[in-house]
Amino acid sequence: EQFYLLIPILLMVAAKFVSPRPLLGLVLVWLVALPLIRHFVLLGLSNPEEIHTAVYYPFHTHSDGLAMGLLISWIMTWKPEIMRCGRWLNVVLALVSIGAFSFWYFASLTFLYFAVAIAYGALAFLLLRVPLPFLFRSRFSISFHDYPMAFTYFTRASFRE
């Protein structure tokens, strides 16, 4: 789980020295390479426990969701105009999410994490684009806008000893 702390820090440092396009390329190569890496890791393994251990525990075999989150973050940071595209993008994102969820049922272990990342990534990006009346979005957080008293109460109550 430490890569959730290290990767953003590494990318912030890299953004100081590298232009945004190569960072996008790095994330896309990472996202595409992960199923290939899983394929080669799984070659020759037949025991289900070995397969689970070989794919689930190492960072380099199941970080598809992190790569998808970095892709969405890149879009929101360096191409915010995509967030204002027409409704056709909402339809495309919904279809991609539904297609990836459908593919999830038939996917082999090689493409399973990739399908999950695409499905949830498209859904998350769609929800970030669609204005939802009961959510208030700011740059750093999402909170319930219609229930400020409850939100304030629980926030203050959590700091009490």
Side-chain angles (χ1 to χ4, degrees), residues 25-44:
L26 177 68
V27 171
L28 291 175
V29 166
W30 180 11
L31 191 60
V32 171
L34 286 168
L36 295 172
I37 292 169
R38 268 191 301 278
H39 172 74
F40 289 112
V41 166
L42 292 172
L43 284 177

Side-chain angles (χ1 to χ4, degrees), residues 48-77:
E49 190 171 316
E50 284 179 338
I51 291 172
H52 177 74
T53 302
V55 171
Y56 185 73
Y57 292 111
F59 165 75
H60 64 279
T61 56
H62 76 283
S63 57
D64 305 70
L66 179 61
M68 182 56 67
L70 291 172
L71 178 62
I72 293 170
S73 175
W74 188 93
I75 291 169
M76 291 182 71
T77 303

Side-chain angles (χ1 to χ4, degrees), residues 78-150:
W78 281 295
K79 293 290 184 182
E81 63 271 10
I82 292 176
M83 298 298 286
R84 294 182 296 275
C85 283
R87 291 185 184 179
W88 62 269
L89 185 56
N90 293 346
V91 172
V92 169
L93 288 169
L95 291 175
V96 166
S97 184
I98 291 168
F101 275 119
S102 301
F103 181 67
W104 187 359
Y105 282 106
F106 305 108
S108 66
L109 191 55
T110 301
F111 292 103
L112 181 66
Y113 294 110
F114 183 73
V116 171
I118 296 295
Y120 283 112
L123 184 62
F125 193 62
L126 175 66
L127 291 175
L128 286 169
R129 285 178 39 82
V130 175
L132 299 173
F134 60 89
L135 287 179
F136 171 75
R137 278 193 285 262
S138 70
R139 184 176 172 97
F140 300 107
S141 67
I142 296 176
S143 60
F144 285 98
H145 182 60
D146 289 342
Y147 305 103
M149 294 299 286

Side-chain angles (χ1 to χ4, degrees), residues 151-161:
F151 182 73
T152 303
Y153 171 76
F154 286 116
T155 304
R156 289 183 184 162
S158 64
F159 289 113
R160 292 185 193 150
E161 295 184 334

